[in-house]
Amino acid sequence: MTTAAPPTDPVDDQSARRASESWFARNWMVVVNGLLLAGCTLVSLFILQPKLLILDTTTAGGDTGAHVWWPAFLRDFLLPEGKFAGWSNDYYNGFPAGQFYFPIPALLVVLLDVVLPYNIAFKFVPAIGPLALPWAAYVFGRGLRLRFPAPAFMGLATLAFLLFAGDQRTTAPYTNAAFNQRIMGGTLASNLAGEFSFTIALCFALAFLGVFALTLRGGRRPIWAVLLLAAISSALYIGVMAFFRALLGF
């Protein structure tokens, strides 16, 4: 009389098969995602010209040169008094400084200035948004639980957005409606023209939407979603956009 073999556990069989596979076979999706996103970041970095980022020279171009003053004023006058905004007599017979701009980029410049020359610290911060935007879009896609390769392709799509430069043509009689949106926000052209705070806030917004989606689906603590929303709240337009996208659903 023969004894029947005990049934095998499918979970154990699957674990054994995965253990016998190579590292690449187990993690190839992670590798592909990483390569796509790293490629997007490297393209943006190449356009930003790293050799110029590390030169100790004053940033110029568009409105960017006018923003060089603000982090230094924040560092020298407001932060020692425990303030993030205040009154400045440097321009226009006085004006409210720090009232109209997203404060996190200026604070990052001040933080980097601890270890870097001020001009280089200032250049690094406008580079953060374009380099991080593909990864933020990937977080958004993962938060929506989209299947591979959709999250990585969302990051890839941000590269097309970053490279958008607009159409220089005009169509009469709409000569004032040329689609050359150099300050539309988010693109590399507008980022280098002074809208770098917008690009950084856009990264926070995409990450917030992804983390918020995970919070809703998984019942996780919302602390990270709350912190990300707080980080973009001072960038009013982006903060309102992210809030209402979350409120209306995806």
Side-chain angles (χ1 to χ4, degrees), residues 92-119:
Y92 311 123
N93 197 30
F95 74 104
Q99 300 288 336
F100 309 110
Y101 288 97
F102 186 41
I104 290 180
L107 292 171
L108 289 175
V109 173
V110 173
L111 183 63
L112 289 174
D113 185 42
V114 175
V115 294
L116 295 172
Y118 181 81
N119 285 323

Side-chain angles (χ1 to χ4, degrees), residues 101-105 108 125-126 128-130 132-133 136-137 161 185-186 191 195-209 227-243:
Y101 288 97
F102 186 41
I104 290 180
L108 289 175
V125 172
I128 291 174
L133 192 60
F161 171 70
N191 188 83
E195 294 284 344
F196 55 89
S197 294
F198 189 105
T199 314
I200 294 173
L202 191 59
C203 294
F204 280 122
L206 290 174
F208 160 72
L209 291 172
L227 290 175
L228 286 168
L229 182 61
I232 61 176
S233 293
S234 55
L236 183 60
Y237 175 78
I238 296 294
V240 170
M241 180 274 290
F243 176 77

Side-chain angles (χ1 to χ4, degrees), residues 6-209:
T8 58
D9 189 343
V11 176
D12 292 340
D13 286 347
Q14 185 177 5
S15 300
R17 285 196 300 270
R18 287 189 60 82
S20 64
E21 293 175 347
S22 66
W23 180 91
F24 182 79
R26 296 194 305 271
N27 299 280
W28 68 273
M29 288 190 292
V30 176
V31 174
V32 172
N33 287 335
L35 289 175
L36 283 173
L37 296 172
C40 295
T41 298
L42 288 175
V43 170
S44 295
L45 185 61
F46 175 78
I47 296 172
L48 292 172
Q49 302 186 47
K51 65 180 181 180
L52 298 181
L53 291 176
I54 60 175
L55 289 180
D56 190 2
T57 54
T58 303
T59 304
D63 292 338
T64 308
H67 293 294
V68 174
W69 163 88
W70 162 235
F73 182 82
L74 179 67
R75 175 198 63 196
D76 296 338
F77 295 98
L78 296 181
L79 287 180
E81 298 180 1
K83 299 178 180 178
F84 296 101
W87 189 261
S88 170
N89 292 316
D90 288 351
Y91 298 108
Y92 311 123
N93 197 30
F95 74 104
Q99 300 288 336
F100 309 110
Y101 288 97
F102 186 41
I104 290 180
L107 292 171
L108 289 175
V109 173
V110 173
L111 183 63
L112 289 174
D113 185 42
V114 175
V115 294
L116 295 172
Y118 181 81
N119 285 323
I120 297 177
F122 184 89
K123 290 179 181 181
F124 278 10
V125 172
I128 291 174
L131 300 181
L133 192 60
W135 301 88
Y138 174 79
V139 171
F140 184 25
R142 288 298 302 269
L144 296 179
R145 293 186 178 176
L146 300 180
R147 293 185 178 181
F148 174 86
F153 272 75
M154 289 176 66
L156 188 62
T158 65
L159 183 60
F161 171 70
L162 286 168
L163 295 176
F164 175 77
D167 188 348
Q168 304 299 320
R169 297 171 296 177
T170 60
T171 304
Y174 305 105
T175 54
N176 292 326
F179 202 48
N180 56 349
Q181 301 296 325
R182 298 291 179 172
I183 56 170
M184 65 180 288
T187 66
L188 278 168
S190 59
N191 188 83
L192 296 176
E195 294 284 344
F196 55 89
S197 294
F198 189 105
T199 314
I200 294 173
L202 191 59
C203 294
F204 280 122
L206 290 174
F208 160 72
L209 291 172

